[in-house]
Amino acid sequence: LPPLFDGCFFFLLGSFKGPTKVELARLLREGGGQLLSRQPKPDSDVTQTLNAAAYHAEPGSDQALCTQYIIYDPQGTYKPAVVRRGKVWSAPSTWIIDCIGAFSLLPVPQH
């Protein structure tokens, strides 16, 4: 099987207390994910025309089409506006840890 985060891109928004941004970045890279240096724009034509797919997402779910995640610390001060448009979703850092534990892209909690 491909790595857990194969086909997924992540932007780490703000600062993180636990796990730290460095620890999260390492976990994401080791899991096959790629880190973005800029926050993805949900309405960008370039973003929405990417043909990558998340292998470990539930087949047939809307999350199977999501390939870019804005990750934030749910206890931190930086929280994105609710983003769940097309291929760009926001998710708390706890979701990353939960996904690793289950070796699956779990449903992203509604915030």
Side-chain angles (χ1 to χ4, degrees), residues 16-109:
F16 295 81
K17 292 184 170 112
T20 66
K21 190 178 262 191
V22 170
E23 291 166 334
L24 278 173
R26 183 182 53 80
L27 290 170
L28 292 169
R29 278 195 296 274
E30 287 178 3
Q34 297 182 51
L35 297 176
L36 299 170
S37 58
R38 289 189 296 194
Q39 185 168 336
K41 295 182 172 128
D43 298 325
S44 164
D45 290 341
V46 173
T47 299
Q48 297 303 333
T49 57
L50 288 174
N51 288 328
Y55 182 85
H56 291 283
E58 178 80 28
S61 70
D62 55 349
Q63 191 168 348
L65 301 175
C66 177
T67 55
Q68 298 185 32
Y69 292 91
I70 300 168
I71 304 299
Y72 64 94
D73 184 343
Q75 305 302 319
T77 55
Y78 293 98
K79 288 194 172 75
V82 175
V83 175
R84 194 171 252 195
R85 271 187 253 148
K87 298 182 181 196
V88 179
W89 289 19
S90 61
S93 57
T94 52
W95 174 78
I96 298 289
I97 305 305
D98 293 342
C99 288
I100 292 169
F103 197 75
S104 176
L105 289 183
L106 299 170
V108 174

